[in-house]
Amino acid sequence: MTEGSGPRRTAQIFDAALYLLAERGYEGLTIEGVAERAGVNKTTIYRWWPSKAALLGAALIDAPRLRFAVPNTGSLHGDLTALARALVKLLTEPPSAALAIAALGAATQNAELAAYARDFFSNRLATELPIFVRAAKRGELSAEAADPMLVMDALAGAVWVRVVLRQLPVDADFADRLASLLLAGAGGARGQDSCPVETAGPEPTTPCCRR
């Protein structure tokens, strides 16, 4: 949805849809219920979104509660750290945590909604690609070797498993350590300075391993 398109109460409609999804699950979510909570006529919703899957798909991409800015910190490590922190916040702080988890969880149970979820992830990756373009221009990353989708999937997956599946607390330096790990794997600036873990043998003698 482009800026300025949609009904006047789009944000309220998205909020209503996400809250009802979290409260009642996908099967219990109805357009009529969304309309009642948002204070609009159901025909207004149907005019823009022909099904509840279409409505939730639009909410995934455009709902202000599920949106966070793409950082530009001046370094790839800083950008990845900021993204990880933003995702941790999204998945741990109310009310966004319950809404995001409910919406993404529902996408695994409904084929129509899953298609919209794929659009959501494609849209998100497109907004994050400039991070890698800037990093390549700064010489932090090889444009040929970099795989932005793999890096972002690994970042999001690590946060999702730690927070949602394991339900473990995230310490203050989790995002920084995750960014360093991803850069090491991607051959980024910090990754190029890293040394392999030695499990046996004499003390390392290479300069980077002395730090």
Side-chain angles (χ1 to χ4, degrees):
M1 181 180 294
T2 58
E3 192 72 26
S5 65
R8 286 188 300 111
R9 296 178 63 84
T10 296
Q12 291 89 336
I13 292 170
F14 287 164
D15 263 3
L18 292 169
Y19 274 104
L20 286 173
L21 175 68
E23 293 169 8
R24 303 178 184 178
Y26 187 75
E27 294 304 319
L29 176 69
T30 64
I31 294 295
E32 290 76 13
V34 173
E36 181 179 0
R37 178 167 292 199
V40 301
N41 194 294
K42 67 179 182 180
T43 58
T44 299
I45 297 177
Y46 279 119
R47 186 178 304 125
W48 291 93
W49 304 285
S51 66
K52 63 182 182 181
L55 173 58
L56 284 174
L60 271 174
I61 295 174
D62 292 317
R65 291 192 185 277
L66 301 185
R67 191 183 304 159
F68 52 88
V70 176
N72 184 2
T73 65
S75 74
L76 180 56
H77 184 273
D79 288 347
L80 293 177
T81 300
L83 279 173
R85 286 175 178 158
L87 188 54
V88 168
K89 181 177 180 179
L90 177 73
L91 294 176
T92 57
E93 294 188 3
S96 64
L99 306 183
I101 292 169
L104 293 173
T108 66
Q109 304 169 23
N110 179 274
E112 185 182 1
L113 184 55
Y116 287 105
R118 287 193 293 272
D119 290 341
F120 161 74
F121 286 113
S122 295
N123 178 276
R124 186 68 206 178
L125 181 61
T127 66
E128 292 160 346
L129 283 178
I131 288 175
F132 297 91
V133 173
R134 292 193 298 264
K137 289 181 178 178
R138 290 190 297 258
E140 296 177 280
L141 195 66
S142 166
E144 294 77 17
D147 186 342
M149 182 185 293
L150 180 59
V151 173
M152 296 313 306
D153 285 354
L155 184 148
V159 174
W160 182 269
V161 169
R162 177 65 62 93
V163 171
V164 180
L165 300 184
R166 295 187 187 276
Q167 298 186 12
L168 294 175
V170 175
D171 56 34
D173 65 342
F174 171 81
D176 180 78
R177 289 186 287 112
L178 176 57
S180 295
L181 180 66
L182 293 172
L183 276 179
R190 290 203 179 185
Q192 292 169 353
D193 290 339
S194 300
C195 290
V197 176
E198 297 287 342
T199 57
E203 181 180 351
T205 57
T206 54
C208 72
C209 292
R210 289 177 178 167
R211 288 198 292 268

